[in-house]
Amino acid sequence: MTTLQPKLILLFSGKRKSGKDYVTDLIQKRLGPDLCRTLTLSGPLKERYAHERGLDYEQLLGAGPYKEEYRADMIRWGESRRQQDPGVFCRLAVSAVTRPVWVVSDCRRMSDLQWFWTEYPQQCVSVRVEASERTRALRGWRFTAGVDDAESECGLDQGVDFDWILTNNGDANLLDQQLEGLLSLIKAKTQDSRDGIHQRGE
Ligand SMILES: Nc1ncnc2c1ncn2[C@@H]1O[C@H](COP(=O)(O)OP(=O)(O)OP(=O)(O)O)[C@@H](O)[C@H]1O
Ligand SMILES: C[C@@](O)(CCOP(=O)(O)O)CC(=O)O
């Protein structure tokens, strides 16, 4: 069970190769490990999927062809588990987090957002990372039927009024400006936690 209530939960989503990991890594580095913990919903999914299928979990966590080879089957496997229990991977992802700020880097479905909105109604901020298809293709994305036209990639395309939208087409200055705004919000919401860490000299 989670031992501490978070001060703030950033719920990131975005298309494949939009830069979710890149942006959340930047935020994690800016906030530091004492204040912030980055979580994925796909991590616990991949661990259980790999165990059940006898596959290499570490390679499923990677960015190479091995993960892409099993992506469609992982999606189907994950959706069958979510139909039984929509919050299953959300609960697993937050089960041992003790930091005040949680960055969930890979929300994909309305059920993901709804679980966090229900469990933590005051703490959630939804963030959409956007990149053009041209930019995504330059980063190695290729349209894959059964993946890019499935809920896994399209589940949050409509019906969400995101709190923040980050445009991430490679303009470092534009991204920095957008991140400064988001980081200001984070710091405003976590002043007491940051003071406590500072006082403890952590
Ligand atoms: N602003 C940026 N500047 C330079 N490189 C970037 C930028 N954004 C993303 N990248 C690079 O593009 C590639 C894809 O980014 P990333 O892995 O963060 O995408 P993602 O949305 O997490 O993709 P997936 O959903 O497939 O995991 C990575 O190699 C990353 O380093
Ligand atoms: C199966 C799945 O978790 C794979 C995600 O892999 P990644 O976040 O692109 O590394 C996507 C999904 O849950 O639909």
Side-chain angles (χ1 to χ4, degrees):
M1 266 310 283
T2 304
T3 54
L4 286 177
Q5 282 293 310
K7 293 278 187 199
L8 181 66
I9 305 172
L10 300 178
L11 300 170
F12 276 80
S13 66
K15 298 286 191 182
R16 286 196 299 145
K17 305 306 181 197
S18 60
K20 300 183 294 299
D21 289 341
Y22 184 89
V23 170
T24 53
D25 285 351
L26 286 178
I27 290 173
Q28 176 68 58
K29 289 188 177 80
R30 300 269 186 99
L31 295 181
D34 293 330
L35 184 64
C36 180
R37 174 80 185 275
T38 299
L39 312 169
T40 67
L41 305 183
S42 64
L45 182 153
K46 291 174 181 175
E47 186 179 14
R48 280 147 187 81
Y49 174 79
H51 178 74
E52 196 168 294
R53 292 280 200 280
L55 296 174
D56 185 329
Y57 169 54
E58 292 303 324
Q59 285 206 61
L60 290 177
L61 290 176
Y66 186 90
K67 170 175 76 172
E68 297 312 323
E69 179 184 347
Y70 293 101
R71 183 182 290 274
D73 189 48
M74 267 198 286
I75 290 171
R76 286 188 294 271
W77 184 90
E79 287 177 349
S80 71
R81 296 307 179 282
R82 286 188 182 88
Q83 276 155 17
Q84 297 159 27
D85 177 359
V88 57
F89 301 118
C90 299
R91 271 199 310 281
L92 288 168
V94 306
S95 60
V97 190
T98 59
R99 292 297 179 262
V101 178
W102 303 353
V103 174
V104 183
S105 65
D106 62 348
C107 296
R108 294 174 179 275
R109 295 167 177 80
M110 198 59 84
S111 60
D112 297 336
L113 297 183
Q114 284 166 344
W115 187 86
F116 282 97
W117 287 337
T118 300
E119 294 295 320
Y120 306 100
Q122 305 303 321
Q123 295 103 311
C124 294
V125 172
S126 59
V127 184
R128 185 75 168 173
V129 181
E130 292 189 343
S132 66
E133 287 198 353
R134 179 178 179 281
T135 300
R136 295 169 57 211
L138 290 172
R139 294 170 180 163
W141 172 74
R142 296 293 177 271
F143 179 87
T144 306
V147 173
D148 293 298
D149 52 6
E151 186 191 33
S152 174
E153 286 295 302
C154 304
L156 299 178
D157 286 357
Q158 275 90 33
V160 182
D161 181 14
F162 292 103
D163 297 306
W164 284 79
I165 294 178
L166 299 176
T167 300
N168 181 38
N169 284 313
D171 180 332
N173 291 331
L174 175 61
L175 182 60
D176 274 349
Q177 286 166 21
Q178 297 174 92
L179 286 182
E180 280 313 312
L182 184 53
L183 287 162
S184 299
L185 166 77
I186 296 167
K187 289 176 180 174
K189 285 184 173 267
T190 58
Q191 186 60 55
D192 53 347
S193 299
R194 291 185 299 114
D195 291 346
I197 291 165
H198 179 70
Q199 284 159 8
R200 291 192 299 273
E202 290 169 339

